[in-house]
Amino acid sequence: MLSITCAGFGGQGVLTAGLLLAHVSMVSGKEITWVPSYGSEMRGGTASCRLRIGDEAILNPFFSSMDTLIAMNQESLDSFQDAIAPGGVLISNSSMVKDAEFRDDIRVIEVAATEIAGDLKNPRGANIVMLGAAVAATGLVDAEEFADGIDAYFAKKGRSNPLNRECFMRGVQAAAEA
Amino acid sequence: MPRRLMKGNDALSEAAVRAGCRFFGGYPITPQSEILEYLSWRLPEAGGTFIQAESELSGINMVYGAAAAGFRAMTSSSGPGYSLLQEGISYIASAELPAVFIDVQRYGSGLGDIFQAQSDYWQATRGGGHGDYRTLVYAPASVQEGVDLIQVAFDKADQYRNPCQILSDASIAQMMEPVTLPEMHEHDPNADWAVRGKRGGDFKRVTSTMYYIEDFDAYIKNKYDVMAEQEQRWESVLVEDADLVLVAYGISSRICKEAVEIARAQGIRLGLLRPITLWPFPVKGFAEVNPDVKAYLSVELTSLPKMEDDVKLACEMKAPVEKFLGGANIPESTAIVERAVSILKEQR
């Protein structure tokens, strides 16, 4: 079972990134819990969601120690880096996290997600770049299969956008190069 | 049927429609507003009626009317809004009409806050309204169980002509899990007792049945005795050989299940008794527990203990009953295990 936290500013698509992770995992037969953060964080501050993904029924949807953190901004890194389990994975958005001190007992993958998404003319796809890096780094689901899942998810909502797949694959590539 | 990823509130709403619910009157309040948002489009699509009332008081009384007309009707609320429903629930119980109420529990008294809690236990199980009535109270521990139990709630409401409640909380309401939804069910509103214009059928009752029933004391006592005897539901996990049994419902039961798993891996004999009905409290489940159990630990997300009383009554204090409370802080499963270990040490 993997415990994953996805965090950033409200508006950076962290809840959507978590939803995509949950949805595609479900389609590939996994059990999932997805819990959004709550309270004053909803109003402009840090937004986050916590996921547990596994092959067996998920008992407790809450956790204080996570395997993977997707940090879209500096505040998220500051809030959650200490909670990553030793040997865990940190995907850090280097477009917004500058000069950070990273722990040396975790695997850090820096991805310039906001810039990559901007370059691809899909500025709202930074969350999907980060997702690509997370999926590649955790090996949760095959990357191509996951990209198909993203396409299917947005197609069903009538919001197909081939740039999302490009964003995702750039994230996968970034993780491979890290 | 393929699984769908759904939020607890949305799944409850869809399952209510599929259980034949065709009327909702209520007022928004976090963390249950998604129920209104969902039903505002879904009920009209299914041929039903959704009304955003001017208050919870009018919402519950609209449900009263719809139920009297034989329709499957429901409302939902949270926190202070749930308090406002209580008078109406008492009236609907006294008229012996079927209806379903959802309380998505939030934290604190007064305005409180919008995060999860399990503090409405007494209000739900002791009849938050006045007088002599009970409601069947179902406590789902997952999004899927909410879907399953709301069907049961509507069926039992009909069977006993009595209101039933779903006691959810902000965490199960807001979280997403994969669910399998049931088929659509149509409910025939033309019951003999239902007010259906000038059509025939039984004498119609839209007010307290006590005015029409001889020896009402015996009648109403018997009604609730039968429910208490026949409607207990629970899940037990490794209680037969447990040295300490955790008792927890809803979201806390999931933390406790993880605690049982952690403890058992360390050779600590922890078990879990999870009430699925809170009224009637599943006293029968305690018969499955190891007769030499050393203690019970009641785990509730509430600042002041509530269910603990029912645990004491159910086990007849044959073993000590301790409490582990939460509330603003969600307890760690490891902390529950530590507490259990320290209780067991004291009992030696």
Side-chain angles (χ1 to χ4, degrees), chain B residues 81-161:
Chain B
Y82 182 55
S83 292
L84 289 173
L85 299 184
Q86 301 305 326
E87 179 195 52
I89 296 176
S90 175
Y91 266 80
I92 293 168
S94 82
E96 292 193 80
L97 291 170
V100 172
F101 308 101
I102 300 170
D103 176 25
V104 179
Q105 296 176 92
R106 61 189 240 172
Y107 183 74
S109 46
L111 186 60
D113 210 327
I114 57 176
F115 50 84
Q116 68 286 317
Q118 297 183 310
S119 307
D120 297 348
Y121 183 90
W122 279 350
Q123 204 174 13
T125 60
R126 301 301 191 265
H130 58 282
D132 289 323
Y133 77 96
R134 301 284 200 182
T135 61
L136 291 171
V137 181
Y138 296 95
S142 68
V143 177
Q144 181 68 55
E145 196 176 32
V147 166
D148 299 340
L149 286 176
I150 202 161
Q151 318 279 313
V152 174
F154 274 108
D155 289 345
K156 293 294 174 185
D158 269 351
Q159 182 184 334
Y160 292 104
R161 282 182 58 195

Side-chain angles (χ1 to χ4, degrees), chain A residues 113-151:
Chain A
T114 310
E115 283 158 74
I116 291 171
D119 291 347
L120 289 172
K121 305 277 183 285
N122 190 25
R124 290 176 66 193
N127 55 344
I128 296 177
V129 179
M130 297 288 280
L131 206 50
V135 168
T138 56
L140 186 70
V141 178
D142 173 72
E144 288 289 343
E145 190 186 326
F146 200 98
D148 291 343
I150 293 178
D151 286 342

Side-chain angles (χ1 to χ4, degrees), chain B residues 5 82 125 185 193 219-220 298:
Chain B
L5 190 65
Y82 182 55
T125 60
H185 170 91
W193 48 262
Y219 166 81
I220 204 69
S298 175

Side-chain angles (χ1 to χ4, degrees), chain B residues 19-23 62-74 96-99 154 157-158 161 185-197 199 204-206:
Chain B
C21 176
R22 291 296 177 268
F23 181 85
M62 289 174 186
V63 168
Y64 187 177
F71 289 91
R72 285 197 160 177
M74 150 173 123
E96 292 193 80
L97 291 170
F154 274 108
D158 269 351
R161 282 182 58 195
H185 170 91
E186 288 296 333
H187 176 74
D188 180 6
N190 293 299
D192 280 345
W193 48 262
V195 178
R196 306 289 294 164
R199 285 174 235 175
K204 312 301 182 197
R205 294 169 189 146
V206 291

